Amino acid sequence: YLFLLSKAFQKREKGHLEAFLAVRPLFITMIYGWALYAISQVVLTTYLFWKQIKFLPWFWNEFSIQIFLWGVLFPVAFAFSIKILPLYLRLPSIRWWKKHFGWLYCCLSYLYLLFYALSWSFLKELFLLLLCLWIIGFILGLDILTRFRKPWTHEKAISHPPSPKTRKNYPDYGEFGHFEWAIYTAYFCLLLAVILEGGGIIRSWFGQSRLLPLDGLRHLYLFGFITFLIYGVGNRMLPGFVGKKQIAFPFLVDLGFLILALALLGRMSPYLPYWIGKERFFSYLFGWSGVIGMVATLIFFINLFFTFYGKKK
């Protein structure tokens, strides 16, 4: 997989590859992140087998998670967001994005991972704080939550006015359900997570407790951001890969989102204020959040299955 990606990036950027020029730094970050993660897992697994150790040391487990999060998942999510979300959500033009922004993320993320591996606490937290600030700037530049700027369509000369049947502010007719709900939720969770992460770092420098435990932040990053982004973009983009013009059951997109949101609420319930998080309902919801999330995943699978193999639309 990495070999094929590397060969693609080594070719001259012309034709269809020109679209990747702006986000190439993010994809390169992802490629090296995949390589670093895979190598670390092979080395650690070999070490555990050789020493007959049954449990992975806590530090290396955490370090592996950080590699995969900041070196793989985030850069590829940001790259796809830049290229496809302005089209699907009619966001502003990406003229604000410059290639050196991607290189900045690459440098910050790998310096953070380096200092994490060296256990240099202050520098590790400093570069993590800078990464949080970078992400806040990225979200503001994308304008996905604020929508202060006009969409990219206002900058283009449109020969034919858009059909009045399309949904307001969106280029579709509702044939993909409200897929945007999941995307907005994803970026809201990401913004909330980096604010809590950065604020917690600053508080720790003054000897105060963090705003949210590490497990809670991880749920916001992986469940709140990555999972919801995959769900929203997948429902919108994957039907086109097989030549379908709509998803099989648009109402299942909305239903799956609501169930997924319930699972996220349950997963985050232990970190809600004490008087809420200790209520019996939320205790049950936390215990069942994994099962509820799998129900949403099953709905996602069923919808895509009938989209791929059902009658062509």
Side-chain angles (χ1 to χ4, degrees):
Y1 174 68
L2 293 178
F3 175 76
L4 292 176
L5 283 177
S6 300
K7 295 295 291 184
F9 285 120
Q10 288 173 3
K11 295 179 180 179
R12 293 181 179 179
E13 288 78 9
K14 59 182 179 180
H16 65 279
L17 288 178
E18 290 182 359
F20 288 97
L21 273 175
V23 296
R24 183 171 58 177
L26 294 175
F27 275 99
I28 291 177
T29 304
M30 181 266 294
I31 289 175
Y32 285 111
W34 263 119
L36 182 60
Y37 180 80
I39 292 171
S40 67
Q41 295 307 298
V42 171
V43 171
L44 286 173
T45 304
T46 304
Y47 174 78
L48 293 176
F49 176 78
W50 185 262
K51 295 292 185 178
Q52 293 296 300
I53 300 175
K54 296 182 179 179
F55 300 100
L56 182 67
W58 179 87
F59 173 82
W60 287 107
N61 179 62
E62 289 295 314
F63 183 52
S64 299
I65 293 173
Q66 297 303 313
I67 294 174
F68 199 68
L69 185 64
W70 297 96
V72 178
L73 293 178
F74 279 172
V76 73
F78 296 149
F80 275 99
S81 295
I82 291 171
K83 301 307 297 183
I84 64 176
L85 293 189
L87 298 176
Y88 292 161
L89 304 180
R90 283 190 177 167
L91 299 178
S93 169
I94 60 169
R95 292 179 181 177
W96 60 273
W97 173 263
K98 303 298 180 183
K99 189 164 59 175
H100 57 262
F101 293 160
W103 289 122
L104 177 60
Y105 176 87
C106 181
C107 294
L108 291 176
S109 60
Y110 281 108
L111 284 172
Y112 162 67
L113 293 174
L114 173 64
F115 294 129
Y116 194 107
L118 296 174
S119 298
W120 293 3
S121 298
F122 177 75
L123 289 177
K124 176 191 72 174
E125 293 176 344
L126 175 62
F127 279 94
L128 181 56
L129 178 61
L130 293 175
L131 279 170
C132 292
L133 293 175
W134 187 97
I135 292 176
I136 292 174
F138 177 82
I139 295 174
L140 293 177
L142 201 60
D143 202 26
I144 188 171
L145 298 178
T146 51
R147 286 189 173 268
F148 288 148
R149 306 194 305 276
K150 293 181 179 180
W152 65 271
T153 52
H154 285 242
E155 302 177 8
K156 302 288 184 179
I158 302 177
S159 56
H160 300 284
S163 170
K165 296 181 180 180
T166 58
R167 293 191 300 152
K168 185 179 180 181
N169 298 325
Y170 301 101
D172 60 85
Y173 300 89
E175 65 271 31
F176 301 100
H178 291 91
F179 69 93
E180 72 278 3
W181 291 353
I183 298 175
Y184 291 139
T185 302
Y187 271 95
F188 173 78
C189 289
L190 178 62
L191 180 62
L192 178 62
V194 294
I195 290 175
L196 294 175
E197 180 96 75
I201 291 173
I202 295 174
R203 284 172 58 89
S204 69
W205 288 347
F206 291 94
Q208 300 182 21
S209 61
R210 290 180 176 269
L211 296 172
L212 190 67
L214 294 178
D215 286 343
L217 290 171
R218 193 171 301 152
H219 292 322
L220 281 177
Y221 285 138
L222 295 175
F223 196 170
F225 177 56
I226 297 297
T227 303
F228 275 82
L229 188 64
I230 291 174
Y231 183 80
V233 173
N235 280 305
R236 176 60 179 85
M237 186 169 65
L238 292 180
F241 285 177
V242 292
K244 302 298 177 69
K245 296 182 179 180
Q246 69 175 74
I247 201 158
F249 307 108
F251 76 94
L252 285 184
V253 176
D254 302 350
L255 178 62
F257 165 78
L258 294 176
I259 296 175
L260 203 60
L262 183 63
L264 176 62
L265 178 62
R267 184 58 60 178
M268 294 301 299
S269 60
Y271 312 106
L272 295 175
Y274 181 83
W275 63 275
I276 296 179
K278 295 301 180 181
E279 289 292 331
R280 179 173 296 182
F281 169 75
F282 287 99
S283 298
Y284 287 136
L285 193 58
F286 174 74
W288 283 91
S289 60
V291 177
I292 296 172
M294 292 307 298
V295 171
T297 305
L298 179 61
I299 291 175
F300 184 44
F301 166 77
I302 292 173
N303 213 358
L304 290 180
F305 179 85
F306 281 98
T307 301
F308 292 168
Y309 299 105
K311 293 182 179 180
K312 189 171 183 179
K313 294 182 180 181

